[in-house]
Amino acid sequence: MAYTAPPAPTVVTFESTADPAALVYHIDLFLIAIFAAVVLLRLPRLVARLWKISEWGTGHILYHTNLRRSATRRVDFNSEAGSRHHDLATDDTHWSSVQRVSEKGSAPSYPPHASSCPRFLRGALQALNTRFNPGVSMLQVIIVVIYLATLVYPAFYKTNPFSDPVRYGWIGVSQLPFVFALSSKNNVLGYFLGSGYEKVHILHRVIGRVVVLAVNIHGLGFIYQWNLEGVFMDKISNPNNYWGLISLICADFLVFFSTSWWRNKAYSLFLSTHIISASLILPAIITHKPETSPYILTAVGIMVLDRVMRWIKTRITTATIRPLPELGVTRVEIPSINAGWRAGQHVRIRVLSSGMGLFGWAETHPFTIASIVKGEEGMILMCKKTGDWTNKLYDLAKSSAYEGEGEARKVRVSVEGPYGGPGHRMFASFSAAVFVAGGSGITFALSSIQDLIQKDLEGHSRVKVIHLVWSVQDPSSLVHLLPLLTSLVQQSVFTPIRISVFYTRAPIGKFPFTDTFFRSTALTLSPGRPKVSKILETVISKAVSLGSGVKDHEKITGMIVGVCGPVGLADSVTAEVGKVDSLRRDQVGGIEIHDECFGW
C-alpha cells in the first residue's frame, strides 16, 4: 500500500481590503465629533461661569493670600440673635431683622443659572440618572454602549479576528490617546465637559480594556500563525517583533494589576505596575510599528502635560495633624494654603514622614477640602480611618498625645490639586440646596454650605433654603462638629438653614447630649435613617412658597442635591430624587444631583 503524506498545514494570510490605518483614523475623528457635540450642549453652563472672572479663575491653583479684616459687604446682626447654640433661629423667624449693608450701596448680583437640560427633557434626564448597577447610571451605560458600537464597525468591516490581526493592532493603538487623556488628573476632556477626572474614569477603564483586548487579538494571532509555521523563534528574534511582544505584556500587566483586588489589597503594587507599564508600552509600540507615531506622540504629549500640571499644582508645606477619636478621623490643618479651590473640590496629599512606614510616605491619597476659601484656619482636611495609610496617619497624630488639648504634631506634606468639584455647575445659582452626607462625607457638605453662606453675605447667591442631612453611626460623632454646625445656622443670615443629624446605632455608654439640648428646629438629632423623600418635598415647598426671605422676587432656578458618602448612599438618594412628582420637579425648576462617592 502506497504511503500518503499528511496534508501540509494551512497557512493563513493576513490580508484586508481596507487600509486599517485610514479606517481607525476616521473612527477617531467620528468619536471626537461626538465629543464636540456633547461639549456644545454643555456650553451654556460653561459660559454662565464667565459672569464673574473670579468664579472662572478659581479651582485651578492653590495659593496663600493675606486676609483682609474688612469686607466689601458687612452684616448688622440683632444683638440677641444666635447668642447661644440652643437659641438658634427657626425656619419661620430666621433673622427677620437683619439687613445686608453695602459700603457702596450696590444691589446683590446673583449668578446666572444654566439648567442642565430644557424643561421638556427633565423627565428623560431623571430616567438616565437611574442606577443600572451600584454607582453606575443608565447614562453611563448608554455612553459605553455607543462607544463600543462605534468600534464594532472597524472590528468587523470586511475582516474578522481570525484572518486579520493587523487591523486589531491599529484599533488598539488608535485608542491610546483617549486612554491617557481620561487617566490624567488634569483631564482636558473632563474640563470641557465640566467633570472631574473621577467622573470620567469609567470610560478610562472601558477604553483601556478595549485596547488590551485588541492588542491581544493582534499579538496572539501572529504568535499562533508563527507556531503553526514553525518559525516562532526566527520571527520573535526580529527587534520589531519582540518589542511588540513587550508591549503586549505591558498591556496585560496594566489590566491584571488594575483589578479591584489589587487596588484594595496592594495599592502600591497596582500604582507601580501601572506607571512602569504605561511608560514602557509607548516606546515599545513605536519601535514595533513606527507608523503608529502620531498616536503614540499624542499620548506622550498628554502624559507630559499632565505631569507638568501636577508639578505646578503641588505645594510642599507644613501641616498640623490632630486625632479626633469621636469621628475616627485625623484633622489636617494647612494654614499656609488658604485659597485657590472651589467648594467641593479635593486635593491629593502625601505625608513626608518616616512615621508613615517604609513606603507610606510615597503614597498619595485624595481628600475633600472641608474648609472655606480664605478662611482664617487655612485648608482643613478630615482623613477618616479606612485603610492602612489612614490608620498610620491617625496613629502618627495620636503619638503626639493630643486628645483635645495639648500640642499637635507638625509634619511636612505634599499637597496636589485642587481637583474635581462641581465643574461648570454653580451651587449658588440654584434656588434650593440639599446636602446628604454619610460619615466623613460631611466634609463636602461643610465646605459647600460655608461657601454658599459666604456668597449669600456678599449678595452672590440665589439659594433660598438649605438643608443638611448627616447620617452617622454614633451620636458622639456630632460632639466635635457641633460648634461648627451651630455657627453655620447663626451665620446664614439671609437664607434659612436646617441641619438634621441621624444616628443608626444605639450609643455606647452615656448619651452625649441631654434631652433638652436641641430645642430649635434648625438643628436636630434623631435615631434611624433619614426620610429623604420627605426632606426633598419640604425643601421644594419652602423654595417655591412666599415668605422664604429676601429673594422672593427672584425666579425659581431649580434645586441642587449634593451627596457625599458610600456608593449605596448616592444610589438611594438618586432613587428618592427620581420619585419626586414631575409637577413638583417643574415647580422648583428641576432637580440636579451632584455626587461624591467613596471608593473606586
Side-chain angles (χ1 to χ4, degrees):
M1 184 175 181
Y3 171 75
T4 303
T10 303
V11 178
V12 180
T13 58
F14 301 139
E15 297 180 357
S16 175
T17 58
D19 180 8
L23 184 60
V24 297
Y25 171 74
H26 288 93
I27 289 298
D28 279 4
L29 290 181
F30 179 72
L31 292 173
I32 293 173
I34 294 177
F35 172 77
V38 175
V39 171
L40 287 177
L41 292 176
R42 308 192 73 166
L43 189 61
R45 182 157 281 179
L46 172 62
V47 174
R49 281 195 63 196
L50 299 178
W51 77 287
K52 197 176 181 184
I53 297 299
S54 60
E55 177 69 27
W56 180 82
T58 57
H60 305 295
I61 302 293
L62 300 173
Y63 63 94
H64 180 273
T65 183
N66 294 325
L67 303 179
R68 294 183 301 173
R69 293 295 180 181
S70 60
T72 55
R73 296 180 182 272
R74 67 180 186 275
V75 177
D76 292 338
F77 291 90
N78 184 295
S79 59
E80 299 286 335
S83 58
R84 297 164 60 188
H85 70 267
H86 54 271
D87 290 330
L88 300 177
T90 65
D91 293 337
D92 298 327
T93 61
H94 189 83
W95 302 101
S96 58
S97 61
V98 180
Q99 296 180 347
R100 181 188 282 115
V101 181
S102 171
E103 293 179 352
K104 297 183 179 180
S106 59
S109 175
Y110 298 131
H113 179 76
S115 179
S116 59
C117 68
R119 178 174 178 174
F120 68 91
L121 291 178
R122 288 172 183 164
L125 180 63
Q126 202 151 298
L128 292 175
N129 284 328
T130 304
R131 293 307 196 243
F132 178 81
N133 269 334
V136 180
S137 68
M138 287 299 301
L139 178 59
Q140 291 173 315
V141 173
I142 292 174
I143 292 173
V144 170
V145 169
I146 292 174
Y147 170 76
L148 295 178
T150 302
L151 290 186
V152 167
Y153 176 73
F156 296 101
Y157 174 68
K158 295 184 179 180
T159 190
N160 65 76
F162 303 101
S163 65
D164 187 14
V166 175
R167 170 92 55 96
Y168 292 87
W170 279 102
I171 292 175
V173 171
S174 69
Q175 301 308 297
L176 281 176
F178 297 114
V179 173
F180 278 82
L182 292 168
S183 68
S184 60
K185 297 297 182 289
N186 299 279
N187 197 307
V188 178
L189 301 181
Y191 175 78
F192 283 111
L193 292 174
S195 302
Y197 70 89
E198 72 282 1
K199 301 297 183 184
V200 296
H201 199 66
I202 183 174
L203 280 177
H204 165 70
R205 295 183 184 179
V206 170
I207 300 176
R209 281 158 174 75
V210 167
V211 170
V212 173
L213 177 61
V215 298
N216 272 275
I217 294 175
H218 170 75
L220 295 178
F222 277 102
I223 292 174
Y224 170 76
Q225 178 62 26
W226 294 340
N227 278 290
L228 196 64
E229 298 174 359
V231 295
F232 175 78
M233 295 306 298
D234 293 335
K235 292 289 186 179
I236 204 65
S237 62
N238 187 315
N240 288 346
N241 293 333
Y242 69 64
W243 277 111
L245 180 61
I246 291 174
S247 64
L248 175 62
I249 295 173
C250 289
D252 290 339
F253 265 59
L254 281 169
V255 72
F256 177 74
F257 286 105
S258 65
T259 55
S260 59
W261 192 91
W262 290 106
R263 295 197 309 267
N264 295 327
K265 301 296 184 181
Y267 178 82
S268 297
L269 180 60
F270 150 73
L271 185 62
S272 59
T273 55
H274 227 64
I275 294 175
I276 295 173
S277 299
S279 301
L280 184 59
I281 194 173
L282 297 179
I285 291 176
I286 203 171
T287 304
H288 168 65
K289 191 75 170 178
E291 293 84 350
T292 61
S293 58
Y295 299 104
I296 302 303
L297 294 179
T298 300
V300 170
I302 292 171
M303 184 170 63
V304 171
L305 176 63
D306 178 57
R307 291 297 170 180
V308 171
M309 289 301 301
R310 293 178 70 171
W311 177 75
I312 294 175
K313 299 175 76 167
T314 298
R315 302 288 180 269
I316 298 178
T317 183
T318 300
T320 301
I321 56 176
R322 310 173 189 272
L324 303 179
E326 299 87 358
L327 292 172
V329 305
T330 305
R331 176 184 168 98
V332 181
E333 305 167 3
I334 312 175
S336 60
I337 301 175
N338 62 4
W341 69 87
R342 296 179 67 200
Q345 287 189 300
H346 68 268
V347 293
R348 300 177 62 82
I349 184 173
R350 176 185 288 116
V351 178
L352 307 175
S353 171
S354 58
M356 296 300 294
L358 184 60
F359 298 106
W361 63 269
E363 293 186 22
T364 304
H365 292 264
F367 296 99
T368 302
I369 303 172
S371 53
I372 190 173
V373 176
K374 298 181 181 179
E376 293 184 357
E377 294 181 300
M379 177 182 290
I380 304 296
L381 307 175
M382 307 285 276
C383 309
K384 185 172 180 60
K385 297 192 298 178
T386 57
D388 291 340
W389 190 89
T390 48
N391 281 326
K392 290 177 182 177
L393 179 63
Y394 183 85
D395 292 339
L396 183 64
K398 198 174 181 180
S399 65
S400 63
Y402 178 86
E403 296 291 348
E405 294 182 358
E407 294 296 327
R409 179 144 189 173
K410 296 186 181 298
V411 294
R412 296 289 287 177
V413 295
S414 171
V415 184
E416 177 194 329
Y419 296 117
H424 299 325
R425 184 184 282 123
M426 293 185 291
F427 291 169
S429 69
F430 290 84
S431 293
V434 177
F435 296 95
V436 183
S440 60
I442 188 64
T443 55
F444 165 78
L446 289 177
S447 62
S448 299
I449 293 176
Q450 289 180 87
D451 183 68
L452 286 177
I453 293 174
Q454 182 62 36
K455 282 183 169 61
D456 194 32
L457 296 177
E458 297 171 353
H460 296 155
S461 174
R462 293 179 180 271
V463 179
K464 294 183 176 183
V465 56
I466 301 173
H467 197 134
L468 168 61
V469 182
W470 186 23
S471 295
V472 294
Q473 294 182 345
D474 194 296
S476 62
S477 301
L478 181 61
V479 173
H480 179 76
L481 291 182
L482 184 60
L484 176 57
L485 297 178
T486 302
S487 69
L488 291 180
V489 178
Q490 295 173 341
Q491 293 171 15
S492 186
V493 180
F494 305 107
T495 301
I497 178 173
R498 180 170 182 177
I499 301 174
S500 303
V501 182
F502 296 85
Y503 59 95
T504 57
R505 290 183 183 176
I508 300 176
K510 183 180 179 181
F511 194 77
F513 307 103
T514 62
D515 295 337
T516 59
F517 190 85
F518 297 92
R519 293 183 179 179
S520 79
T521 59
L523 179 58
T524 61
L525 176 65
S526 309
R529 300 186 182 277
K531 295 180 173 57
V532 177
S533 58
K534 183 178 180 180
I535 293 172
L536 294 176
E537 176 60 31
T538 301
V539 174
I540 292 174
S541 298
K542 291 184 178 298
V544 301
S545 66
L546 295 177
S548 296
V550 297
K551 305 171 189 173
D552 293 336
H553 63 284
E554 292 295 320
K555 182 179 72 171
I556 302 297
T557 55
M559 179 169 72
I560 181 67
V561 179
V563 189
C564 189
V567 172
L569 176 64
D571 291 348
S572 63
V573 172
T574 300
E576 294 300 326
V577 171
K579 296 176 184 177
V580 175
D581 183 73
S582 59
L583 178 60
R584 298 294 282 165
R585 184 184 65 228
D586 290 338
Q587 285 179 339
V588 79
I591 304 176
E592 298 186 25
I593 304 174
H594 177 84
D595 62 89
E596 299 282 341
C597 296
F598 300 159
W600 294 91

